[in-house]
Amino acid sequence: MTSRTPAGDAHPYLRAASAGVRHHTRALAPPDAAPPPPADRQHLDVLHAHLTALLHLLDRLAETTRPPHPAASRLLAAAHTRLWQATNEVHSAFHLLPTDTAADAEARTCRPERLPEGPPVLTICQRHLAAGHSIRRKTTPTDLRPHTTACAR
């Protein structure tokens, strides 16, 4: 098996994650197939995990970019805030979806001997609370207000 990334590529995992998201997007809407089913809770949980991982990456990039390039760091911090807003909306959508499937019923069953972190349905909330705590240490309520922008180019 050969890799398409150059030998000196410093970001192969990020490229693979981006390729995976693009593949999933294309697979959801093939041109000659019936419309895809609506999102379910498991799908939004996985998407939320991806978004929170991106939050951590943007946070770290903003921190390491700040000393040599403060203007670029401010833009990365703004992107971090906007990504948090998207993550927050995905979390809210997760809780608005119905929970009457057998998988969700199983997920709501707490078996501490099998799952020390609690029922799987709550892991999105634990992840979201941890990310929210991190966001609130670095931003103000004014920063978290809804944002609109127009491209200046």
Side-chain angles (χ1 to χ4, degrees):
M1 184 160 127
T2 61
S3 172
R4 293 185 197 171
T5 58
D9 187 6
H11 310 287
Y13 296 115
L14 185 57
R15 291 182 196 282
S18 297
V21 169
R22 283 190 306 271
H23 173 74
H24 183 71
T25 302
R26 283 190 304 267
L28 277 177
D32 59 344
D40 59 1
R41 289 172 71 106
Q42 184 179 8
H43 193 150
L44 290 185
D45 185 20
V46 172
L47 179 60
H48 187 271
H50 188 76
L51 290 172
T52 54
L54 286 173
L55 275 171
H56 294 301
L57 177 62
L58 265 175
D59 187 33
R60 187 163 290 209
L61 287 173
E63 288 294 321
T64 59
T65 305
R66 182 171 291 123
H69 307 289
S73 176
R74 281 192 300 276
L75 292 174
L76 289 173
H80 183 256
T81 301
R82 303 305 166 242
L83 184 59
W84 165 251
Q85 291 170 333
T87 304
N88 194 36
E89 297 302 325
V90 169
H91 178 253
S92 296
F94 173 87
H95 287 293
L96 291 176
L97 290 177
T99 61
D100 57 353
T101 65
D104 286 333
E106 174 65 23
R108 283 193 305 269
T109 304
C110 183
R111 294 192 178 114
E113 70 280 359
R114 286 186 14 201
L115 302 166
E117 69 277 2
V121 75
L122 297 180
T123 57
I124 187 172
C125 297
Q126 293 167 348
R127 184 184 328 112
H128 195 70
L129 286 171
H133 179 71
S134 171
I135 289 290
R136 285 175 182 82
R137 283 185 296 140
K138 297 180 181 210
T139 59
T140 66
T142 303
D143 293 334
L144 296 176
R145 73 187 184 285
H147 176 72
T148 58
T149 186
C151 184
R153 294 181 189 187

